[in-house]
Amino acid sequence: MSLIVQKFGGSSVANAERVFNVADIVTSTYKEGNNVIVVVSAQGDTTDDLIEKAKEINPHASKREMDMLLATGEQISISLLAMAIEKLGYPVVSLTGWQAGMVTDSNYSNSRIRKINTERVMLELDKRNIVIVAGFQGINRYDDITTLGRGGSDTSAVALAAACHADLCEIYTDVDGVYTTDPRIVPDAKKLDEISYDEMLELASLGANVLHNRSVEMAKKYNVNLCVRSSLTRAKGTVVKEAVKVEGMLVRGVTKDNDVARISLCGIEDTPGKAFRIFSLLAKKNINVDIILQSIGRDNKKDISFTVAESHIDEALKIIEENKEIIGYETMSYTTKVSKVSIVGAGMVTNAGVAARMFEALYEAQINIHMIATSEIKVSVLIDEGYEAKAVKAIHDKFELA
Amino acid sequence: MSLIVQKFGGSSVANAERVFNVADIVTSTYKEGNNVIVVVSAQGDTTDDLIEKAKEINPHASKREMDMLLATGEQISISLLAMAIEKLGYPVVSLTGWQAGMVTDSNYSNSRIRKINTERVMLELDKRNIVIVAGFQGINRYDDITTLGRGGSDTSAVALAAACHADLCEIYTDVDGVYTTDPRIVPDAKKLDEISYDEMLELASLGANVLHNRSVEMAKKYNVNLCVRSSLTRAKGTVVKEAVKVEGMLVRGVTKDNDVARISLCGIEDTPGKAFRIFSLLAKKNINVDIILQSIGRDNKKDISFTVAESHIDEALKIIEENKEIIGYETMSYTTKVSKVSIVGAGMVTNAGVAARMFEALYEAQINIHMIATSEIKVSVLIDEGYEAKAVKAIHDKFELA
């Protein structure tokens, strides 16, 4: 008997018909003799509707009360899914985050899971109940309800799989796996059968919205077998697991990210500690900096450019302006009219020609490169906004990923 | 510093504007130097909407999962009210039933409160927080969410008031107190300033839907000072407390109940234990029997008539038919075309003429009486359906209650 964790997102349970589709997948897995833990998100637009209700009353409501409010979304979907499974005649029990023992820190609206007290879940599995757990939520040490922030339900599922030593964690979504690039841009993009945690991490952080980074990081840490599948087609999906050495395949996928803004600081005094100062100020406000480019010093001055998420640009500019004296720069400029295009693949590090081949593809497509960043398994370039689809297609063709 | 519990029903928090009206009442009380616990029901039609969602998926869903679903209704309203109070600049914290320590039995959908662990609530009050508690819900010993059934939020409020030794428990509703009869029927009905627990109990059980019986019973048991007020007019309301001896006022109110059906069993053998058998069979299925009338035996046979709630009639008839042999009756008949009209007043027991005066009023209005039941503080009569408004008016006038 295997233990399988299955996670379904909000669109998978958006209405009664879809809830029964999920119930069918779950009970089929159960019927085959497996124990099943199901993690569910809030139905379709429920979370947005609740946020709307809150905003009408207080746009600056405390995060604690927002979490109290938003946690109802998953509580509704777990009970409805349990009712559907009852209707199909299977033993089932739904559990909220706290009932499932999901203990988090107190960082409301963006909590991290600290530990999972699995007694209740294991007890229900021992009774051969299908166990449905509310994703995205937990409680802190004060017994207050918390939520995990974006991608939280994926993280709930992987954490439960790790804590309960599940044999497999299936993430059901509305795409049927991980592709070499976005099929809406490049129609002949290919579905990958397998991908390593690290490659998936890069793809996720680069905007391929299949799995959230936190869940992949956790899967990697606890070596959870992940599988991304479609709840609609039920096709085989993509397995995410420990690095698979594939000699022939250097580049695994091409991805783009439009949520990027570039900030440039010119005329910074060329003394140690300047970069540290800038980025620690931003880090304190939880602003992630991605690509960083520092010019070679000249006349004892240097320039630093870096990218942040577009949604963080206002706050980032404010911090930098407020700290002009401390940082000590002459001028600041920024643009949001840029996009990031990246290639990802575990084999790249051992193959020097990969980056050059990517730049060649962009050159042939007459696309100008503003910034370049490389890591062991990825190469990212910053280009003008509007050219990203063309760039992705050119690179995808160049590496013959179709 | 006093501790005041304030309870607001679903219509009092139906939309953002009303939520702020409640927030205003609560913070005004707090500003006066009181500690405040607020108990709230689900917003307006939320509960009905959730039931609708459930029915679409499984009309025979387990009560456990229904409670899991319905409990979200109050969780939404407590967080929204907390946000409104935050907006007004007061310290506040919302608590679900389980966070507030509401421990119930496991009778899902109709649980009884077993005990309240008040530590968390008292801790928050010590911090001078306004404490908002979700009404209608709790948890059982297995940490599963339960709901208290009809009138549950009133019961939550009174139980909290008792457990926390509150000085006053205010029940805010959409009427501004307890009246001598329904003002929609008799426009010159008078609001009562005070009423005893027992009188309130009879009025509640007789269909004057201001307070639910369970909450009044609990208030009586723990001697909680209750007050029924309107959240809209904020008028003084009616205080419900220990019996007040009012010599002059014999009859406190007149009430009607259309949710009544009469069942008659004829030709029952006149031996001991027959009545016991009938009513224990009904009691086993939780069917409450109200007025019972037994004819004097003749030819060793007797007739028994009794009333049940109209919603129970089908089940009651089924039980009686299935047990025809055991009960041993010749014929059964029933009607739902009856109504019950009652007068209530603590002073009645010492004044024999009260019942006669009620019958006189009905006689003068040419209304026929089918059954009569009396207790220490009430007299009820069963009359033909359709005449109840006329009867209430006639009795109200007769006793000069206006």
Side-chain angles (χ1 to χ4, degrees):
Chain A
M1 187 187 292
S2 295
L3 171 57
I4 298 177
V5 175
Q6 302 184 317
K7 181 259 168 178
F8 297 91
S11 63
S12 297
V13 290
N15 54 44
E17 189 194 335
R18 293 220 178 157
V19 168
F20 273 106
N21 177 52
V22 169
D24 188 48
I25 294 175
V26 170
T27 54
S28 298
T29 311
Y30 178 88
K31 248 189 316 201
E32 288 164 8
N34 302 295
N35 271 332
V36 189
I37 299 172
V38 188
V39 175
V40 214
S41 304
Q43 288 188 297
D45 302 325
T46 309
T47 306
D48 290 340
D49 292 347
L50 290 171
I51 291 173
E52 208 44 60
K53 259 179 184 282
K55 273 195 180 153
E56 199 192 342
I57 284 180
N58 184 353
H60 307 292
S62 68
K63 288 180 174 176
R64 181 198 183 273
E65 298 300 337
M66 280 305 290
D67 282 2
M68 175 68 98
L69 178 68
L70 296 184
T72 61
E74 290 80 35
Q75 193 169 327
I76 291 172
S77 55
I78 56 169
S79 52
L80 292 178
L81 177 56
M83 290 173 193
I85 291 175
E86 284 176 348
K87 178 116 186 230
L88 301 182
Y90 292 85
V92 62
V93 65
S94 72
L95 301 174
T96 62
W98 63 269
Q99 287 175 328
M102 289 279 186
V103 181
T104 73
D105 60 23
S106 289
N107 191 10
Y108 294 110
S109 86
N110 197 24
S111 297
R112 301 253 152 190
I113 297 171
R114 282 263 168 273
K115 63 172 175 179
I116 303 182
N117 299 320
T118 59
E119 297 97 280
R120 177 70 192 267
V121 171
M122 298 313 277
L123 184 81
E124 299 294 347
L125 290 176
D126 284 347
K127 292 193 225 163
R128 274 293 276 161
N129 277 329
I130 293 169
V131 181
I132 302 178
V133 177
F136 182 70
Q137 57 177 252
I139 44 166
N140 63 18
R141 52 194 290 206
Y142 308 108
D143 276 358
D144 281 339
I145 292 172
T146 56
T147 68
L148 305 183
R150 271 191 64 199
S153 289
D154 289 354
T155 310
S156 302
V158 174
L160 267 169
C164 299
H165 307 288
D167 300 282
L168 178 62
C169 179
E170 296 182 322
I171 307 287
Y172 285 86
T173 164
D174 46 9
V175 296
D176 56 4
V178 181
Y179 276 75
T180 50
T181 193
D182 188 338
R184 285 167 303 185
I185 298 175
V186 183
D188 55 359
K190 221 181 91 186
K191 193 179 79 184
L192 299 168
D193 290 334
E194 287 187 357
I195 189 168
S196 73
Y197 296 124
D198 287 334
E199 289 170 331
M200 191 66 229
L201 273 174
E202 292 291 4
L203 285 174
S205 65
L206 295 172
N209 273 325
V210 182
L211 275 178
H212 199 265
N213 245 4
R214 285 167 63 185
S215 58
V216 182
E217 276 164 18
M218 191 174 282
K220 186 186 173 190
K221 187 170 172 190
Y222 295 102
N223 205 11
V224 172
N225 280 320
L226 265 185
C227 179
V228 179
R229 306 181 63 171
S230 159
S231 60
L232 303 175
T233 69
R234 306 194 192 180
K236 207 167 141 259
T238 300
V239 173
V240 189
K241 54 184 202 178
E242 233 359 295
V244 265
K245 287 279 167 237
V246 189
E247 293 296 327
M249 194 137 182
L250 299 173
V251 175
R252 199 50 76 92
V254 186
T255 174
K256 68 175 174 61
D257 185 3
N258 287 337
D259 181 20
V260 180
R262 183 187 57 184
I263 299 175
S264 298
L265 304 181
C266 295
I268 299 179
E269 200 186 326
D270 194 8
T271 53
K274 287 294 176 191
F276 160 73
R277 209 156 281 166
I278 298 165
F279 299 119
S280 68
L281 283 166
L282 294 171
K284 259 184 217 158
K285 297 285 182 182
N286 274 320
I287 296 174
N288 282 326
V289 171
D290 187 22
I291 305 177
I292 300 173
L293 194 81
Q294 181 175 315
S295 68
I296 295 160
R298 201 180 37 172
D299 301 338
N300 214 23
K301 298 276 181 189
K302 65 188 173 188
D303 307 333
I304 291 180
S305 295
F306 54 88
T307 61
V308 298
E310 217 169 308
S311 52
H312 284 154
I313 184 76
D314 291 339
E315 207 182 342
L317 293 176
K318 189 162 158 270
I319 291 165
I320 291 165
E321 275 163 12
E322 284 173 2
N323 294 282
K324 188 170 182 182
E325 295 302 311
I326 297 167
I327 301 169
Y329 60 87
E330 284 165 5
T331 58
M332 175 171 72
S333 61
Y334 74 93
T335 174
T336 58
K337 303 276 175 225
V338 283
S339 284
K340 187 170 66 172
V341 172
S342 311
I343 52 173
V344 172
M348 280 164 51
V349 64
T350 54
N351 209 304
V354 172
R357 201 159 155 203
M358 179 188 189
F359 303 153
E360 188 185 1
L362 292 170
Y363 165 70
E364 286 168 3
Q366 289 291 304
I367 296 167
N368 199 25
I369 300 171
H370 297 303
M371 291 171 86
I372 300 169
T374 57
S375 79
E376 289 200 345
I377 65 164
K378 85 169 173 191
V379 179
S380 296
V381 297
L382 203 70
I383 62 174
D384 284 333
E385 201 172 75
Y387 291 90
E388 60 275 12
K390 194 178 169 193
V392 166
K393 187 156 176 11
I395 297 165
H396 198 262
D397 289 349
K398 191 63 156 185
F399 286 97
E400 294 165 0
L401 295 176
Chain B
M1 184 186 293
S2 293
L3 171 57
I4 297 177
V5 175
Q6 300 184 317
K7 181 259 167 179
F8 298 91
S11 63
S12 297
V13 291
N15 54 44
E17 189 194 335
R18 294 221 177 156
V19 168
F20 274 106
N21 176 52
V22 169
D24 188 48
I25 295 175
V26 170
T27 54
S28 300
T29 311
Y30 178 88
K31 249 189 317 202
E32 288 163 9
N34 302 296
N35 271 331
V36 189
I37 299 173
V38 188
V39 175
V40 214
S41 305
Q43 288 189 298
D45 301 326
T46 309
T47 305
D48 290 340
D49 292 347
L50 290 171
I51 291 173
E52 209 42 60
K53 259 179 184 281
K55 273 195 183 153
E56 199 191 341
I57 284 178
N58 184 353
H60 306 291
S62 68
K63 288 179 173 176
R64 181 197 183 274
E65 298 300 336
M66 279 305 291
D67 282 3
M68 174 69 98
L69 178 69
L70 295 183
T72 61
E74 291 80 32
Q75 193 169 327
I76 290 172
S77 55
I78 57 170
S79 52
L80 293 177
L81 177 56
M83 291 173 192
I85 292 175
E86 283 176 350
K87 177 117 187 228
L88 300 181
Y90 292 84
V92 62
V93 65
S94 71
L95 301 175
T96 61
W98 64 268
Q99 288 175 327
M102 288 280 187
V103 181
T104 73
D105 60 22
S106 289
N107 190 9
Y108 294 110
S109 88
N110 198 22
S111 296
R112 300 253 151 190
I113 297 171
R114 283 264 168 271
K115 62 172 175 180
I116 303 182
N117 299 320
T118 59
E119 297 99 280
R120 177 71 191 268
V121 171
M122 297 313 277
L123 184 82
E124 300 293 348
L125 290 176
D126 284 348
K127 293 192 224 164
R128 272 294 276 163
N129 277 329
I130 293 170
V131 182
I132 302 178
V133 176
F136 181 69
Q137 57 178 251
I139 43 166
N140 64 17
R141 54 194 290 205
Y142 308 108
D143 276 0
D144 281 339
I145 293 172
T146 54
T147 68
L148 306 183
R150 272 191 64 197
S153 290
D154 289 353
T155 310
S156 302
V158 174
L160 267 169
C164 299
H165 307 288
D167 300 282
L168 178 62
C169 179
E170 296 182 323
I171 307 288
Y172 285 87
T173 163
D174 46 9
V175 298
D176 56 4
V178 181
Y179 277 76
T180 49
T181 193
D182 188 340
R184 285 168 302 186
I185 297 175
V186 184
D188 56 359
K190 221 182 90 186
K191 193 180 79 183
L192 300 168
D193 290 334
E194 286 187 357
I195 190 169
S196 73
Y197 296 125
D198 286 335
E199 289 170 331
M200 190 67 228
L201 273 173
E202 291 291 3
L203 284 174
S205 66
L206 295 172
N209 272 326
V210 182
L211 276 178
H212 199 265
N213 245 4
R214 286 168 61 185
S215 57
V216 183
E217 276 165 16
M218 191 175 282
K220 185 186 173 191
K221 187 169 172 189
Y222 295 103
N223 205 12
V224 173
N225 279 321
L226 264 185
C227 179
V228 180
R229 307 180 62 170
S230 159
S231 60
L232 303 174
T233 70
R234 305 194 194 181
K236 209 167 141 261
T238 300
V239 173
V240 189
K241 54 184 203 180
E242 232 359 294
V244 266
K245 287 279 167 233
V246 189
E247 293 297 327
M249 193 135 180
L250 299 174
V251 174
R252 199 49 76 92
V254 187
T255 176
K256 68 174 174 61
D257 185 2
N258 287 337
D259 182 20
V260 180
R262 183 187 56 184
I263 299 175
S264 298
L265 304 181
C266 296
I268 298 178
E269 199 186 327
D270 194 7
T271 53
K274 288 293 174 190
F276 160 74
R277 209 156 280 166
I278 298 166
F279 299 120
S280 68
L281 283 166
L282 294 171
K284 259 185 218 159
K285 296 286 180 183
N286 273 319
I287 298 174
N288 282 326
V289 171
D290 187 22
I291 305 178
I292 300 174
L293 194 81
Q294 181 176 313
S295 68
I296 295 160
R298 201 179 38 173
D299 301 338
N300 214 24
K301 298 276 178 188
K302 64 187 175 189
D303 307 333
I304 291 180
S305 294
F306 55 89
T307 62
V308 298
E310 217 169 306
S311 51
H312 284 155
I313 182 75
D314 291 338
E315 207 181 343
L317 293 176
K318 190 161 157 268
I319 291 166
I320 291 165
E321 274 164 13
E322 284 173 0
N323 294 281
K324 189 170 182 183
E325 296 301 312
I326 297 167
I327 302 168
Y329 60 87
E330 283 165 6
T331 59
M332 175 170 75
S333 61
Y334 73 94
T335 174
T336 58
K337 303 277 175 225
V338 283
S339 284
K340 188 169 64 171
V341 171
S342 312
I343 53 173
V344 172
M348 280 165 50
V349 65
T350 55
N351 208 304
V354 172
R357 202 159 155 203
M358 179 188 188
F359 304 152
E360 187 184 3
L362 292 170
Y363 165 71
E364 287 168 2
Q366 290 291 301
I367 296 167
N368 199 24
I369 300 171
H370 298 303
M371 291 170 87
I372 300 170
T374 59
S375 79
E376 289 201 344
I377 65 164
K378 86 170 172 188
V379 179
S380 297
V381 296
L382 204 68
I383 61 173
D384 284 333
E385 201 171 75
Y387 290 90
E388 60 275 13
K390 195 177 170 193
V392 166
K393 189 156 178 9
I395 297 165
H396 198 262
D397 288 348
K398 191 66 159 182
F399 286 98
E400 293 164 0
L401 295 176

